[in-house]
Amino acid sequence: MADQLYLENIDEFVTDQNKIVTYKWLSYTLGVHVNQAKQMLYDYVERKRKENSGAQLHVTYLVSGSLIQNGHSCHKVAVVREDKLEAVKSKLAVTASIHVYSIQKAMLKDSGPLFNTDYDILKSNLQNCSKFSAIQCAAAVPRAPAESSSSSKKFEQSHLHMSSETQANNELTTNGHGPPASKQVSQQPKGIMGMFASKAAAKTQETNKETKTEAKEVTNASAAGNKAPGKGNMMSNFFGKAAMNKFKVNLDSEQAVKEEKIVEQPTVSVTEPKLATPAGLKKSSKKAEPVKVLQKEKKRGKRVALSDDETKETENMRKKRRRIKLPESDSSEDEVFPDSPGAYEAESPSPPPPPSPPLEPVPKTEPEPPSVKSSSGENKRKRKRVLKSKTYLDGEGCIVTEKVYESESCTDSEEELNMKTSSVHRPPAMTVKKEPREERKGPKKGTAALGKANRQVSITGFFQRK
Amino acid sequence: MTTLTRQDLNFGQGREAGPAGPGAGASGPAGFLERATGLCPPAVVADVLCEFLEVAVHLILYVREVYPVGIFQKRKKYNVPVQMSCHPELNQYIQDTLHCVKPLLEKNDVEKVVVVILDKEHRPVEKFVFEITQPPLLSISSDSLLSHVEQLLRAFILKISVCDAVLDHNPPGCTFTVLVHTREAATRNMEKIQVIK
């Protein structure tokens, strides 16, 4: 019964999910040894073909054997499509091994998807990538990272040396490829390449077999460090045409530094933005609405220190405006012209005339932005922007009163308007009988305060304003 | 190594399109980009999507044999080999098309991008639909997000590669076109802009 289960599994993968099932992928997925996976695939193909000869099934095989080329005997390992299998087999002098490499429903045009299939499953199993593998090396133990970087340099040098030796046999130029940047695999190639170096001299069948299995390991890209891509020309003979394209890509890609950088840039550079984000976002929001930000700050009445560059800039702008406008208007108490309260706040810490009480604000007169007026006019009915003064203790220990505009639902808008108009005349003629007391005590308080006074509230109500 | 190198180095909101995972889904709707909680800005997302769409279009042209295989060359993207065209005019055409799509992607106005294969009489024979939607917020760190995204894009490429298992052969002399379906709001906005102009 257990035998049937794997057949159903493979059937599901291939037929229902339209996946490419390589023997390596199958061995990781089902948790079986690679040789068992190969056997499973073969079994499945045989049964399927027997049951239904018209089944849409494409199979690729891994063929390896010795080949005589240009008078040299070399070992060839190739992944070939089923239709080319016989042709390749006939070229080999001795066929060392043939096994099913993959099964899929689609007719693949090139070997790229085969690599793609194995890539992710290998990446997720990097820690135990040789768990189900037929290739074992007792000497291959993980290195410390510091050692591995120095060893990879030696690895490159040894590769170049070997490449010059075996130039004649170069059909292919890559030693394998693999998931990039995996520390664990960087130590394995040294062991493998060491073995190749020792076998370079003797090209017997047996040694070829061993190197072939190692080549397969490398081929299947589980262990080869790709930082130093084997211009390793021991390996050149191991790859048939089908595999060649697969690996040449990676060699080309690795050789072309520019291209690699471009590829890596998307992944690398995308991480960089992370750092720039908080600052970037913050700045953009600040630049968008400096006025509102300032107004909010002023409303809170806490931010006297202009630590932010944005607020300083706007402050400077406002200061400049104030300087221009000041000579034009005489009255210092007018609150008829509602302007951004930032103006007031910046000026108020600079000490007002000494004789006046510290509570005295220094109202600045600036031409009222028409928009504010119109908006307040429009909001007459419901909410009104009212100039209120807020008193607080600033950093220097001075009590500062600032005038801020707050929206306030206004029930007696008419009176507010009247107050505004009357306040224009207030400074010269302190004879408004309605508010004698309040004027003496705090003649320079905000309009709102005056408004309240006109409404005949008690004096305690006046002080609550603070 | 695709030809796309544009990068905008800020993180902001991400985008997602449709469900897709390694081995899931048919060779039809796809496209996604996961959204980290406020990590990916629209510009980065649009860049990544445009790059992916460029690779996908090239791969579709290769797999469906719209153009002879001779013009294609193996390149590496998302750490796997992909086929990209070397023909300058074709590349320019695809790049220009996606360049126009990018602002719409940034504003999340794109509902789907469709690659249509047309026969000689300009009748559609096949459609490859990439749906683009906003996913729910995910709390993933940006590093794992990126590697996860790369993995999923690899799955896309794999799916496109095996799509001929479920598709019939195309007649000879096919051409292709790229259609961009925008959301309704975008159409209205564009109309508004045009009226003002």
Side-chain angles (χ1 to χ4, degrees), chain A residues 202-240:
Chain A
K203 288 201 178 173
T204 62
Q205 194 87 5
E206 288 164 11
T207 55
N208 282 341
K209 268 192 189 160
E210 282 179 32
T211 51
K212 173 218 112 186
T213 54
E214 281 154 15
K216 235 191 335 174
E217 166 80 358
V218 171
T219 305
N220 294 325
S222 61
N226 64 338
K227 296 286 178 188
K231 298 174 180 143
N233 314 308
M234 282 309 304
M235 307 303 302
S236 63
N237 308 320
F238 295 142
F239 296 85

Side-chain angles (χ1 to χ4, degrees), chain B residues 15-90:
Chain B
R15 273 174 214 201
E16 185 190 62
S27 64
F32 72 90
L33 197 63
E34 299 205 12
R35 181 184 193 166
T37 49
L39 279 191
C40 279
V44 169
V45 171
D47 272 342
V48 176
L49 272 176
C50 280
E51 277 183 18
F52 166 69
L53 285 171
E54 184 175 353
V55 173
V57 169
H58 281 264
L59 196 59
I60 288 168
L61 297 178
Y62 173 76
V63 172
R64 303 311 296 150
E65 294 172 340
V66 178
Y67 294 105
V69 293
I71 67 165
F72 291 95
Q73 185 189 42
K74 252 196 197 172
R75 306 256 197 102
K76 187 166 101 168
K77 185 66 179 172
Y78 311 123
N79 292 317
V80 291
V82 296
Q83 296 281 353
M84 298 284 290
S85 145
C86 303
H87 195 288
E89 285 177 23
L90 174 62

Side-chain angles (χ1 to χ4, degrees), chain A residues 302-319:
Chain A
K302 286 174 191 170
R303 301 279 184 89
V304 185
L306 299 173
S307 53
D308 194 9
D309 290 342
E310 298 289 339
T311 56
K312 271 184 185 160
E313 280 172 12
T314 50
E315 280 297 308
N316 291 336
M317 278 166 52
R318 294 213 181 82
K319 278 182 184 168

Side-chain angles (χ1 to χ4, degrees), chain A residues 24 37 66 85 88 92 105 107 161 200 236 238 246 283 286 349 357 363 378 404 411 415 421 429 443:
Chain A
K24 187 169 285 200
S66 66
L85 178 64
V88 172
L92 296 175
K105 235 181 9 174
M107 162 109 109
H161 184 62
S236 63
F238 295 142
K246 184 157 64 161
K283 271 190 182 163
K286 289 259 173 186
E378 285 165 7
V404 298
T411 51
E415 280 186 327
T421 51

Side-chain angles (χ1 to χ4, degrees), chain B residues 100-158:
Chain B
C100 297
V101 177
K102 204 201 271 208
L104 296 172
L105 284 171
E106 285 175 14
K107 287 184 278 177
N108 192 25
D109 279 340
V110 180
E111 190 191 338
K112 52 187 176 184
V113 176
V114 184
V115 180
V116 186
I117 312 280
L118 309 159
D119 64 3
K120 269 188 232 172
E121 285 85 38
H122 299 285
R123 281 188 303 238
V125 172
E126 278 172 7
K127 279 189 187 178
F128 290 81
V129 180
F130 296 88
E131 286 180 4
I132 300 175
T133 58
Q134 289 276 357
L137 290 180
L138 297 165
S139 54
I140 304 180
S141 78
S142 62
D143 289 340
S144 63
L145 169 74
L146 288 171
S147 61
H148 190 52
V149 163
E150 203 179 89
Q151 182 186 352
L152 295 170
L153 293 176
R154 272 198 295 272
F156 268 110
I157 288 168
L158 188 57

Side-chain angles (χ1 to χ4, degrees), chain A residues 331-333 335 344 347-364 389-392 398-403 426 439-446 466:
Chain A
S331 67
S332 56
E333 296 166 2
E335 293 92 16
Y344 301 110
E347 281 293 329
S348 52
S350 62
S356 57
L359 280 173
E360 182 182 328
V362 186
K364 301 296 168 218
S389 42
K390 300 213 174 233
T391 312
Y392 59 92
C398 307
I399 298 176
V400 174
T401 306
E402 66 180 44
K403 295 189 183 181
R426 197 171 49 85
E439 279 187 353
R440 275 177 219 146
K441 293 213 170 164
K444 310 247 158 60
K445 292 295 175 190
K466 298 175 207 168

Side-chain angles (χ1 to χ4, degrees), chain A residues 17-18 106-107 109-111 115-116 119-120 180 249 253 259 262-263 265 267 269-270 272-274 277, chain B residues 1 5 7 9-11 62-63 65 74 76 79-81 83 142 146 150-151 154 159 161-162 164-165:
Chain A
Q17 296 180 16
N18 191 18
M107 162 109 109
K109 291 204 173 39
D110 74 329
S111 55
F115 174 74
N116 198 346
Y119 182 89
D120 277 317
V249 161
S253 65
E259 290 175 328
I262 291 169
V263 166
Q265 260 179 16
T267 53
S269 61
V270 179
E272 289 174 0
K274 191 181 173 184
T277 306
Chain B
M1 285 64 74
T5 55
Q7 270 111 40
L9 303 190
N10 294 311
F11 269 108
Y62 173 76
V63 172
E65 294 172 340
K74 252 196 197 172
K76 187 166 101 168
N79 292 317
V80 291
Q83 296 281 353
S142 62
L146 288 171
E150 203 179 89
Q151 182 186 352
R154 272 198 295 272
K159 272 293 160 191
S161 308
V162 296
D164 62 339

